[in-house]
Amino acid sequence: MTNLSAPTRISVGAYLATRLSQLGAPQLFGLPGDFNLSLLDEMLAVDGMEWVGTANELNAAYAADGYARIRRGIGAVVTTFGVGELSAINGVAGSFAEDVPVVQITGMPSTSAQTAGALLHHTLADGNFDHFVRAYEQVTAASVVLKTATAPADIDRILLTALNESKPVYIGVPADVAVSLVSGANLREPLELFGSNARQLERFTETLRQAVYSAVSVGVLVGPRVHRRQLEPIIRSLADAPGVYIATQSGSKAILDESHPKSVGTYLGAHTQSDDARRAIDEAPLLVLAGTIMSDLLTGFFTHRFDPEQAVELATTWARVGETTFFGVQLEDSLRILDEVIQDARLDALEPIILKPAEATRSVGGRTDAGPGASIVGPLSHETFWRHLQGFLAPDTTLIAEAGTSFFGAIDLRLPDNCDLLGQPVWSSIGYTLPATLGVCIAAPEKRAVLLIGDGSAQLTVQELATILHRGHTPVIVLLNNGGYTIERAIQSPEAVYQDVTAWNWTELPAAFGAGDRAVTVTVRNGGELAAALAMATETTDKLVLIEAILPPLDSPRLLTALGAGLSEANAPVMPSGSPALVAPSTV
């Protein structure tokens, strides 16, 4: 192995690996290919670097994304040129949409081959090697194809961009450049986030102080970008101050323990759990939007009643108070100053808002439980399912919930203390969470990972179950089997043939993937069987547990039904004036 404590000359591949290790990302997710083999050999020669081979490149990108979210830092995926990097691009696009700093590293043909326009495999056979880096320019904050002379500076610049903007970046490494020697002098100093502009920070502080001192109380809506910056301690400090309510967007649920008396839960506009919780944000005398994303699924399909333009907005690299924007103000500093100002202000004391999670977990569209007996022996419904899951969840759990049924059911849960919810509500690419669970297990092995995923979503990326098993990880996987795409059924044409998926024998998959005695599987069809399976999962911590829960195709949690109706309305065709009206599709 190579000792890089004080290098003088170092290969470009080793330089890149050392920087990733310094940033807390010593794992490389990906697949080998002939154009990245030399790069991988150089990177894995660095002490502490670990290869995490995945079933395909898309899964590698998803796993790196999940890893980066839990580590609150960078994740790295390594692919080969063309076929590999294009497989990964959907995952990287999701990282861009959701502000996750994933580094896409592509092993490329040699500089000489590119200069000559050689008609190589994995190319479009047109002599042009820029197609795919141009594609990545659309879904990354910065991109570069390395040259030996400038490689150290370009690597540092690109990684700093990922850190400061919380966005993915692209690094192309030609095979000859990967093994070229460069100076390692820069490695003596770690990369750090850019600081705020001092003058802008001073102006922001004074303007914010005037706004807070003029208010009697403050509502803070916390978005996922706060989580990306590891700023949870400041949110907890804000919650302890008088005169403050804290709500979270669904992409940052449980960023503050939901047992905290100042937590009003997850804000989803008209679909917020209680009217009191909604008013705490919509009618706040002063509203602060901290790291928020005002997209459709995070605002209850734009049913929020507050005016974002009148709020204080704290973004990743700028802040705004009313109509005045302060550029060059980092979220770390703006949130810290907000805490300091609120701690000094004399705001009114506020009474806790009591949430009722049991009321929120009712299902819509399926059978209504007639009583305790029915919920134990009758066919499993969402109402029964989520009630049992609520009782199963323990503190220090990482709950991973797939887009659709799983995520919107999980939003209504009351998570125990020190839990995380990982989902993808902005990009919503189905199949994301199973590979992301691999990244989560590597990033936070001290927490039990619990994955909720539907049968349709799992069929896209289930190969990564093999990697999870063979690395010895022991998550609980609850597979909601309702025979198809429930969220799509909730939007339009629930009986259409395209809503169905092929039936699989889910409980046999771990054995097919070589699990041996490292997995326990069970199928449940009613509340009694589910309760027994969850009790078994609680006791079984040394093996992967797969619980297949059979649910009705047209049953769904209340949030999925409500948001499905919103999607149905949003996606409805707009007829030209004077055209005959179309019959609206049936929905549930």
Side-chain angles (χ1 to χ4, degrees):
M1 303 295 284
T2 305
N3 185 350
L4 298 174
S5 58
T8 53
R9 303 291 289 177
I10 183 175
S11 72
V12 170
Y15 185 102
L16 175 56
T18 304
R19 276 303 194 207
L20 291 172
S21 181
Q22 289 176 345
L23 293 171
Q27 280 84 13
L28 302 175
F29 298 87
L31 272 75
D34 55 347
F35 292 132
N36 71 13
L37 297 179
S38 294
L39 172 64
L40 287 175
D41 285 343
E42 293 299 321
M43 297 185 77
L44 294 175
V46 173
D47 288 339
M49 294 303 292
E50 178 186 6
W51 176 246
V52 184
T54 56
N56 58 58
E57 292 87 355
L58 174 60
N59 288 359
Y62 286 157
D65 180 291
Y67 174 94
R69 292 183 194 226
I70 296 301
R71 279 288 181 96
R72 277 76 156 175
I74 277 179
V77 56
V78 184
T79 71
T80 196
F81 180 77
V83 293
E85 60 186 328
L86 289 184
S87 175
I89 197 168
N90 176 45
V92 175
S95 298
F96 188 91
E98 305 231 349
D99 302 286
V100 184
V102 167
V103 184
Q104 161 65 40
I105 303 165
T106 294
M108 303 181 73
S110 67
T111 304
S112 59
Q114 294 188 53
T115 301
L119 302 185
L120 302 180
H121 62 286
H122 294 343
T123 74
L124 300 184
D126 61 356
N128 187 333
F129 291 83
D130 295 335
H131 291 298
F132 312 130
V133 67
R134 291 205 308 271
Y136 267 95
E137 287 173 356
Q138 305 304 310
V139 295
T140 57
S143 61
V144 66
V145 175
L146 296 181
K147 299 177 181 178
T148 301
T150 58
D154 284 338
I155 289 171
D156 289 359
R157 173 179 58 83
I158 289 290
L159 294 180
L160 279 169
T161 299
L163 283 173
N164 282 281
E165 298 188 22
S166 290
K167 293 287 187 182
V169 294
Y170 175 97
I171 301 177
V173 190
D176 56 316
V177 175
V179 300
S180 298
L181 297 180
V182 294
S183 172
N186 287 354
L187 296 175
R188 298 188 182 99
E189 295 293 331
L191 298 178
E192 297 179 351
L193 289 171
F194 297 144
S196 296
N197 178 283
R199 175 56 183 155
Q200 290 285 80
L201 196 61
E202 181 181 352
R203 293 179 57 237
F204 164 74
T205 302
E206 183 56 34
T207 307
L208 178 67
R209 182 177 289 111
Q210 293 175 11
V212 171
Y213 282 20
S214 300
V216 295
S217 64
V218 177
V220 182
L221 181 58
V222 183
R225 289 165 177 154
V226 170
H227 186 280
R228 306 288 186 268
R229 297 301 229 190
Q230 309 176 52
L231 300 175
E232 291 89 340
I234 302 180
I235 299 301
R236 288 193 291 269
S237 179
L238 280 167
D240 290 337
V244 178
Y245 282 131
I246 304 288
T248 60
Q249 293 191 301
S250 60
S252 52
K253 180 178 172 67
I255 202 169
L256 173 69
D257 285 343
E258 294 184 309
S259 63
H260 195 288
K262 294 298 186 61
S263 170
V264 299
T266 304
Y267 177 87
L268 276 169
H271 310 297
T272 304
Q273 282 190 20
S274 77
D275 291 339
D276 287 342
R278 182 181 188 184
R279 283 192 294 270
I281 298 303
D282 281 341
E283 300 175 13
L286 177 66
L287 177 62
V288 177
L289 305 176
T292 54
I293 301 173
M294 300 300 292
S295 64
D296 53 0
L297 295 183
L298 296 182
T299 59
F301 269 91
F302 310 113
T303 57
H304 56 287
R305 291 175 179 160
F306 62 82
D307 182 358
E309 298 302 316
Q310 299 302 313
V312 173
E313 186 171 5
L314 311 181
T316 304
T317 59
W318 52 267
R320 179 179 54 78
V321 182
E323 296 180 349
T324 306
T325 302
F326 306 90
F327 294 101
V329 174
Q330 299 287 322
L331 183 57
E332 291 82 353
D333 291 325
S334 62
L335 201 57
R336 171 182 54 81
I337 289 171
L338 173 67
D339 183 38
E340 293 173 357
V341 170
I342 285 181
Q343 299 293 345
D344 290 340
R346 296 182 177 181
L347 300 177
D348 292 347
L350 298 173
E351 292 296 322
I353 293 176
I354 307 300
L355 302 178
K356 298 178 180 179
E359 176 70 15
T361 55
R362 66 186 185 278
S363 61
V364 180
R367 178 186 56 80
T368 300
D369 291 334
S375 68
I376 294 297
V377 300
L380 193 61
S381 69
H382 274 279
E383 185 171 2
T384 300
F385 175 83
W386 293 104
R387 185 188 311 127
H388 281 289
L389 192 72
Q390 177 72 73
F392 162 72
L393 293 175
D396 300 299
T397 295
T398 303
L399 182 63
I400 307 110
E402 181 66 37
T405 306
S406 298
F407 186 77
F408 291 115
I411 289 302
D412 270 346
L413 294 171
R414 183 79 173 270
L415 295 188
D417 290 355
N418 200 30
C419 286
D420 285 317
L421 174 64
L422 188 152
Q424 202 189 44
V426 177
W427 190 239
S428 294
S429 183
I430 64 169
Y432 160 77
T433 55
L434 204 152
T437 298
L438 170 63
V440 167
C441 290
I442 295 172
E446 73 282 1
K447 285 188 171 186
R448 190 79 187 269
V450 176
L451 168 64
L452 309 176
I453 188 168
D455 53 340
S457 296
Q459 288 189 3
L460 273 73
T461 54
V462 75
Q463 312 97 313
E464 230 49 65
L465 184 61
T467 310
I468 292 171
L469 285 164
H470 286 277
R471 289 184 60 89
H473 301 302
T474 59
V476 176
I477 299 176
V478 184
L479 188 131
L480 285 67
N481 186 347
N482 47 25
Y485 302 113
T486 300
I487 188 168
E488 313 301 343
R489 296 186 196 274
I491 297 170
Q492 183 171 318
S493 305
E495 305 292 347
V497 64
Y498 53 74
Q499 306 288 21
D500 301 327
V501 299
T502 304
W504 287 13
N505 191 336
W506 290 100
T507 56
E508 295 299 320
L509 280 181
F513 289 141
D517 62 354
R518 290 170 292 178
V520 180
T521 66
V522 62
T523 298
V524 300
R525 292 178 170 82
N526 59 52
E529 292 176 351
L530 177 61
L534 293 174
M536 176 271 293
T538 299
E539 299 298 324
T540 308
T541 59
D542 60 340
K543 297 180 180 181
L544 181 146
V545 177
L546 172 62
I547 300 171
E548 178 190 20
I550 307 298
L551 288 157
L554 299 183
D555 191 18
S556 61
R558 66 110 190 169
L559 268 179
L560 184 139
T561 302
L563 293 174
L567 278 167
S568 179
E569 182 178 350
N571 294 341
V574 178
M575 297 300 299
S577 178
S579 298
L582 294 178
V583 177
S586 60
T587 59
V588 296

